[in-house]
Amino acid sequence: MWAVTILAVLALLAVDFLITRRPHEVSMREALGWSAFYIALPLAFGGWIWATFGSDTGVQYLTGYLVEKSLSVDNLFVFMLLLTAFAVPAALQQRVLLLGIVGALVLRGIFIALGAAVLANLSWAFLLFGAILLATAVKILVDQVKGGAHDTDVSQMRSVRLIRRFMPVTEDYRGPRLSVRENGRRMLTPLAVVVVAVFATDIVFAVDSVPAVYGITSDPYLVFATNAFALLGLRALYFVLQGALSKLVHLGYGLATILAFIGVKLVLHWAHGIWAGVPEIPTLASLGVIIGVLAIVTATSLYATRDSRDPETSAHVAEPDHHPQGVDARRADADAAPSGTETEAR
């Protein structure tokens, strides 16, 4: 099953790369079609898991997938801000998202393998994972209360500052190319810089999401499958939710609640192994809590933004009369993205 699943993931990625080989702006019809496919596929796979391995395994898979999908929606906020901050042309946005998904899959695979090894050899690892999720929940809640849950200052991202310090960057985008040769030297394009920024955020996402799904199931295969299916559909889902993302104003509260709940579940699981009288939270109950929390925050978010009609809240790229070079064209002293007056980093 590992081999078949990995081959299937690689095949789907290959199809996505073929689709995006010629840059084009994604229509809503195309985005909806692929989103429906990437939702139907994991649900059908979950039905097969349920029928083949029983209801307990099926519930674990579906619960883990729901957790990963809800966390991936939060990831889209950061992707949205990065694509806007770097003024990525609409035709190139899906290529950036796809490269970010590939990076996330590789990182999740590494973290999943490490997590499985740690859980198999160290009983207190459940306590550690629980503490990580509880700390993450507190951070998300604090950011949400402060109103800055998704603020991303790309000028302060170490990955962006590092790459621009050592490599020259072209003044504008060169289609889907990550580097070009000009005047006898190799130069990166702004697309390469934004891809590196996305990769850097992928690391943070992996630290949060892998312990979260290990709180639902200890089976590394299910952990990988739920992560892979949740990530594969992000490219299309981004364009479907592009306008709606800004309306999910209470999503941070929901994610903080879910991560805190799973963190408590992991701590109770660890304590149950030491003191048999400590209760554990059943996976089916976890599924009910997660669905309930997501339903509540979605309803309250839509109610809170019912009078909002600002079309500029969606993450559309800059219009042609805006600076296409990225953040430095708007903030030349921030040294965050390729500048219209400098060819290489200071």
Side-chain angles (χ1 to χ4, degrees), residues 226-249:
T226 54
N227 271 270
F229 280 128
L231 289 171
L232 284 172
L234 279 187
R235 178 183 64 84
L237 186 63
Y238 173 84
F239 297 100
V240 174
L241 297 181
Q242 195 175 46
L245 285 174
S246 59
K247 297 186 179 297
L248 298 178
V249 294

Side-chain angles (χ1 to χ4, degrees), residues 173-334:
Y173 288 89
R174 305 297 175 84
R177 300 178 67 179
L178 298 177
S179 67
V180 294
R181 181 171 292 277
E182 289 188 354
N183 301 322
R185 63 175 178 173
R186 177 64 61 180
M187 301 180 67
L188 298 179
T189 67
L191 187 66
V193 181
V194 67
V195 167
V196 170
V198 171
F199 281 179
T201 59
D202 282 339
I203 298 176
V204 179
F205 297 153
V207 173
D208 295 341
S209 65
V210 172
V213 73
Y214 266 123
I216 302 300
T217 176
S218 59
D219 186 338
Y221 173 78
L222 293 181
V223 175
F224 174 78
T226 54
N227 271 270
F229 280 128
L231 289 171
L232 284 172
L234 279 187
R235 178 183 64 84
L237 186 63
Y238 173 84
F239 297 100
V240 174
L241 297 181
Q242 195 175 46
L245 285 174
S246 59
K247 297 186 179 297
L248 298 178
V249 294
H250 296 158
L251 181 62
Y253 294 115
L255 293 179
T257 302
I258 290 171
L259 291 179
F261 173 78
I262 299 175
V264 171
K265 184 176 185 295
L266 282 171
V267 172
L268 290 176
H269 178 77
W270 167 79
H272 181 78
I274 300 176
W275 302 287
V278 176
E280 289 192 277
I281 301 175
T283 305
L284 188 60
S286 301
L287 178 61
V289 169
I290 293 167
I291 292 176
V293 169
L294 291 176
I296 291 172
V297 297
T298 300
T300 57
S301 295
L302 294 177
Y303 180 79
T305 59
R306 65 192 183 280
D307 296 326
S308 175
R309 296 183 178 86
D310 183 7
E312 300 299 324
T313 54
S314 60
H316 294 297
V317 297
E319 296 298 327
D321 59 333
H322 289 75
H323 295 286
Q325 291 89 353
V327 182
D328 278 19
R330 296 185 296 274
R331 293 185 305 176
D333 60 337

Side-chain angles (χ1 to χ4, degrees), residues 5-89:
T5 303
I6 292 175
L7 287 175
V9 170
L10 293 176
L12 291 170
L13 287 174
V15 170
D16 275 350
F17 272 105
L18 287 174
I19 293 172
T20 61
R21 74 186 187 280
R22 293 183 179 178
H24 65 280
E25 190 168 351
V26 180
S27 67
M28 181 57 68
R29 180 178 180 180
E30 179 183 351
L32 285 172
W34 280 107
S35 293
F37 171 77
Y38 276 118
I39 291 176
L41 181 62
L43 290 180
F45 182 74
W48 179 80
I49 289 286
W50 190 301
T52 305
F53 299 99
S55 59
D56 289 343
T57 305
V59 170
Q60 290 179 26
Y61 168 82
L62 292 174
T63 306
Y65 173 72
L66 186 60
V67 169
E68 290 302 311
K69 202 64 178 177
S70 60
L71 290 174
S72 70
V73 172
D74 191 54
N75 298 354
L76 290 179
F77 277 102
V78 179
F79 290 159
M80 178 180 67
L81 293 177
L82 288 175
L83 293 178
T84 303
F86 284 98
V88 180

